[in-house]
Amino acid sequence: MDLSQKIADYGADAVRFYARMAKLDYDNEVREEFVSSWIARKLFENDGLTVHVEREYTRIIRDLKNEVTSTDISSMGGWRADIAIYGPDGSPLSIIEVKICDEGDRGGTAVLRDREKINVLSKRVKIDTYLAILLTDINDTNK
């Protein structure tokens, strides 16, 4: 399974669906929470994967049979993975952080922040990580 391609395909589907559903003028108005939930739902329905949305990093550490330390709590206590994929044995296999950026976004600070979160977790435990950056068109979708 090419998980990267599935994330991209399901994320693009989510953006298109939400923009149509909410009658948005611009697809950069789509909510990341919706996209994350849509991707998680599709990974479950189409691919049979066990997924969690907004899963705490400290819970993921614990689910990987590691003790959560005070350092973990202070460094990542409030952080959540947008999507966490679990294996048949109940162990986390990978996490996905989702960011929506429009083609005019030059800052990228939210992307860099999520990348740093992933780095901190990856240094602590062995887990596959994905950063799904959905670059949206800022053209009017209703024209």
Side-chain angles (χ1 to χ4, degrees):
M1 163 181 42
D2 184 357
L3 187 55
S4 295
Q5 188 61 54
K6 288 179 185 295
I7 294 166
D9 291 344
Y10 298 157
D13 289 345
V15 169
R16 283 189 296 271
F17 186 88
Y18 190 91
R20 201 173 67 243
M21 175 182 75
K23 294 184 170 76
L24 299 178
D25 288 329
Y26 305 100
D27 60 6
N28 65 341
E29 298 174 57
V30 172
R31 302 292 305 179
E32 285 178 8
E33 300 87 347
F34 181 86
V35 174
S36 295
S37 295
W38 183 281
I39 292 170
R41 184 181 130 234
K42 291 295 186 176
L43 288 170
F44 170 72
E45 286 180 346
N46 296 350
D47 305 300
L49 297 174
T50 301
V51 292
H52 295 269
V53 176
E54 293 295 318
R55 191 69 156 184
E56 297 86 1
Y57 275 29
T58 52
R59 174 70 185 267
I60 291 167
I61 291 169
R62 193 174 298 114
D63 290 345
L64 285 166
K65 310 295 187 236
N66 289 282
E67 181 181 335
V68 175
T69 66
S70 59
T71 303
D72 296 330
I73 292 169
S74 66
S75 67
M76 61 183 115
W79 294 349
R80 294 186 177 125
D82 294 328
I83 303 166
I85 300 173
Y86 280 62
D89 67 349
S91 297
L93 299 174
S94 57
I95 65 163
I96 305 165
E97 293 292 348
V98 176
K99 278 292 159 261
I100 297 177
C101 301
D102 63 48
E103 61 190 359
D105 182 17
R106 300 286 184 248
T109 55
V111 171
L112 294 174
R113 189 172 48 248
D114 272 4
R115 182 68 191 134
E116 181 56 28
K117 284 172 47 179
I118 287 171
N119 285 340
V120 170
L121 182 65
S122 294
K123 288 177 184 170
R124 178 63 174 88
V125 294
K126 182 169 174 33
I127 191 166
D128 289 335
T129 59
Y130 297 84
L131 181 55
I133 303 168
L134 302 169
L135 184 61
T136 61
D137 189 354
I138 57 174
N139 292 323
D140 192 331
T141 59
N142 292 322
K143 303 272 186 237

